[in-house]
Amino acid sequence: MVTAKSPQSAAQVATQPSWLSRTLQDHSRALNASLTQLMRKPIATLLTAFVIGLTLALPAGLDTVLRNLDVVGDSLQGSMRASLFLKDSVDADRAQELSRSLGKRPGVANARYISREQALEEFKQHSGFGEALDLLKDNPLPAVIVVTPDHHAPQAQTSALLKELSNLPEVEQAQLDEKWLQRLYAILDLVQRAVLVIAAALALAVVIVIANTIRLDIERHREEIEVMKLIGAPDGFIRRPFLYTGLGYGLVGALLACAMVAGAGMLLAPPAHELAGLYDAEPALRGLAPEAVLAVFGAALVLGWLGAFWTVSRHLHQIEPD
Amino acid sequence: MADIVFFHRVSQRYGEGPEILREVSFRLGDGEMMFLTGPSGAGKSTLLKLIGLLARPQAGQIAVLGQNIGQIRRSRIPAFRRQIGMIFQNPSLLADRTVFENVALPLVIRGHSGADIGRRVRGALDAVGLLSKEKALPPTLSGGEQQRVGIARAVVAKPKLLLADEPTGNLDPQMAREVMQLFMRFNEVGVSVLVATHALGLIQRLPYRIEHLEHGHIDAIARGDAEAAPAAAQENSLGHG
């Protein structure tokens, strides 16, 4: 038997919560609903997050590689030297004086004079042609001043200095080993821009992946959305759990992306150290920088929200109770 | 008596099909209860959908709760619907939520506190005799119980107007009578009620106004108990549309 009572008496008079507590309550409910939804299908959630993580890991990994190459470049700049081959007319005293004055110039870390005799001796030792060189009547090698630039100085300033030194009257010929370094920097600049383009394309891919996943979630909840609309739920209320779901996918995707880059770094560290050693470069392989980690998380959250907002806004209008 | 629902020469058709409603006119006063009868396909559901803004009128004027619904913007529809409780033959309950959670939905979207929701939901479930089923899932309930959950959800937020479309369609006669008694109780406390039903036998002897809708227009007034019907109800009846 139905025991009918008035709804008015059943519903007690209650104080309405403040705007802030209502907002917090709404967001807490939406977050809870979103988490429940994500946990209800953990495999699907992880697969989606994995795809997002992989997509984010690619630009993050490339950025890490670039940062490391940048460090290698700086390190190689420190080992860059110029060999100033002196004219035969420059005697040893003048050459030594020139070497001392060059060593005191700003932007120069060190200048070392190598006499013709020392040069011949070193060549004999390292070339393996010692006996053949003994047969020569004259020493064919010129005296050399080896100039090491200050590696703290900017690359452009170093290049200018070395060019200036090569024009000194005492210098017959200068050999600068900076060309290939310039090429390396040019390549790095090109790759940096390519990474930006790739990152933009992959960001769009993340938005599409999240939007499509949320679209399927919306379809699964079509009946619930219809009921919500029937009882007067505003679009913002219906949209909110889906936005949290988008943020959730972004967050887990960012975690996976950072883990993937860190894992790849650990795998690549030993050969990278070996390679760096061959080039006299700094051996430590650097992982994701803190600012890069922040950028990955920030981008993932923004893209997750954007993907969710875009697809919910598009599809919510199409669902109406009938 | 102020009008809660006012229809003036409202016509409606879907696509190129025949007219579902033809220049229908009627009023429902504040605090009044009215039955709308007619055979299947007569346009009863369409009329209720127009009141709940589930469809837009193609011609004529409709005012509900003092608002010209032709002028209500899309963004204002949710706020408009929150003033109305709607009940359908299929109660549209969420199968994966408990009875309590289903009934709580209108309060949740209004941002009521947890304690307030608990009080009101239990009050509404008590009113429909389902307090003991608050933790049950809808698929485990009988058709009559599901319908009563739908009624509890419709009234829990104290709407000014209650619309019911064939609410007894799936119920046995005893349960149907009990559901009708529920509507009468809600009406007694001031809720305006409009019930569309083709079960004329169930309502004929009830002391409320009955409008008969057939072939798209209200063409007759059938009074079950004209002497007992409230005078206001008789005043509000416009007869032919």
Side-chain angles (χ1 to χ4, degrees), chain A residues 21 23 102 139 171 184 220 230 254 291 322:
Chain A
S21 70
T23 305
L102 288 179
N139 180 358
V171 175
L184 174 66
R220 269 195 293 274
L230 195 65
E291 61 267 25
D322 50 19

Side-chain angles (χ1 to χ4, degrees), chain A residues 19-65:
Chain A
W19 175 84
L20 183 64
S21 70
R22 270 184 63 174
T23 305
L24 288 174
Q25 194 173 277
D26 282 352
H27 280 270
S28 154
R29 281 192 180 116
L31 181 60
N32 192 38
S34 167
L35 284 176
T36 307
Q37 189 55 35
L38 288 173
M39 302 293 279
R40 199 170 280 173
K41 43 185 181 62
I43 303 291
T45 300
L46 275 179
L47 281 177
T48 305
F50 183 78
V51 172
I52 294 163
L54 204 60
T55 315
L56 290 169
L58 193 58
L62 282 172
D63 182 67
T64 306
V65 169

Side-chain angles (χ1 to χ4, degrees), chain A residues 3-7, chain B residues 180-190:
Chain A
T3 52
K5 295 177 184 172
S6 85
Chain B
M180 285 301 173
Q181 282 168 10
L182 268 179
F183 291 141
M184 289 155 66
R185 297 290 177 95
F186 296 138
N187 178 245
E188 280 170 14
V189 294

Side-chain angles (χ1 to χ4, degrees), chain B residues 5 13 21 24 44 49 55 82 96-97 133 147-149 151 184 212 217 219 225 239:
Chain B
V5 177
R13 76 164 76 215
L21 298 178
V24 169
K44 304 188 295 293
K49 280 180 184 174
R82 286 198 291 275
D96 60 345
R97 311 267 180 107
K133 302 272 188 175
Q147 190 59 280
R148 281 187 279 154
V149 175
I151 293 170
M184 289 155 66
H212 187 75
H217 61 106
D219 59 359
D225 189 340

Side-chain angles (χ1 to χ4, degrees), chain A:
Chain A
M1 175 68 192
V2 174
T3 52
K5 295 177 184 172
S6 85
Q8 266 75 359
S9 65
Q12 304 294 314
V13 175
T15 53
Q16 278 285 83
S18 68
W19 175 84
L20 183 64
S21 70
R22 270 184 63 174
T23 305
L24 288 174
Q25 194 173 277
D26 282 352
H27 280 270
S28 154
R29 281 192 180 116
L31 181 60
N32 192 38
S34 167
L35 284 176
T36 307
Q37 189 55 35
L38 288 173
M39 302 293 279
R40 199 170 280 173
K41 43 185 181 62
I43 303 291
T45 300
L46 275 179
L47 281 177
T48 305
F50 183 78
V51 172
I52 294 163
L54 204 60
T55 315
L56 290 169
L58 193 58
L62 282 172
D63 182 67
T64 306
V65 169
L66 278 178
R67 281 167 194 267
N68 276 287
L69 286 176
D70 225 20
V71 171
V72 170
D74 287 348
S75 164
L76 289 173
Q77 192 184 334
S79 63
M80 187 169 66
R81 288 175 180 84
S83 299
L84 307 177
F85 298 102
L86 302 179
K87 289 176 178 167
D88 288 344
S89 58
V90 179
D91 62 30
D93 290 342
R94 173 68 195 127
Q96 280 179 342
E97 190 191 325
L98 180 62
S99 174
R100 278 194 295 275
S101 72
L102 288 179
K104 290 173 187 168
R105 287 186 65 146
V108 175
N110 183 36
R112 185 166 69 94
Y113 169 64
I114 300 172
S115 68
R116 297 179 65 196
E117 291 73 27
Q118 283 173 310
L120 185 62
E121 198 55 38
E122 283 181 14
F123 190 66
K124 277 181 182 176
Q125 281 176 10
H126 297 297
S127 66
F129 296 115
E131 287 179 10
L133 288 169
D134 282 342
L135 297 175
L136 295 173
K137 286 180 187 172
D138 296 319
N139 180 358
L141 299 179
V144 184
I145 296 175
V146 179
V147 177
T148 307
D150 182 358
H151 70 272
H152 294 301
Q155 203 251 336
Q157 188 185 324
T158 303
S159 298
L161 170 74
L162 295 179
K163 271 181 194 141
E164 186 190 334
L165 295 182
S166 67
N167 290 328
L168 288 172
E170 292 88 349
V171 175
E172 177 73 45
Q173 191 185 347
Q175 187 179 317
L176 309 176
D177 52 357
E178 61 160 359
K179 276 284 179 202
W180 71 272
L181 198 59
Q182 285 176 340
R183 288 188 194 113
L184 174 66
Y185 278 120
I187 290 169
L188 284 181
D189 189 43
L190 182 69
V191 175
Q192 237 156 15
R193 284 163 198 261
V195 167
L196 279 179
V197 174
I198 291 169
L202 292 177
L204 187 63
V206 169
V207 169
I208 291 170
V209 167
I210 290 178
N212 198 44
T213 308
I214 301 282
R215 184 183 63 79
L216 295 175
D217 279 347
I218 291 171
E219 279 306 314
R220 269 195 293 274
H221 288 87
R222 174 177 277 272
E223 195 183 332
E224 183 177 341
I225 292 171
E226 285 179 1
V227 170
M228 289 289 190
K229 287 198 165 190
L230 195 65
I231 60 177
D235 282 357
F237 183 89
I238 300 170
R239 189 188 293 130
R240 206 169 289 134
F242 294 107
L243 297 183
Y244 274 112
T245 302
L247 287 175
Y249 281 128
L251 186 68
V252 181
L255 276 171
L256 289 174
C258 290
M260 284 180 209
V261 174
M266 284 164 73
L267 269 176
L268 294 175
H273 288 179
E274 204 176 313
L275 186 65
L278 291 174
Y279 283 92
D280 290 332
E282 199 174 311
L285 183 71
R286 298 177 181 198
L288 268 177
E291 61 267 25
V293 173
L294 279 178
V296 168
F297 273 87
L301 290 174
V302 167
L303 295 174
W305 187 89
L306 266 180
F309 188 84
W310 175 46
T311 197
V312 175
S313 300
R314 272 187 66 212
H315 291 94
L316 218 52
H317 291 293
Q318 296 165 5
I319 300 176
E320 285 296 334
D322 50 19

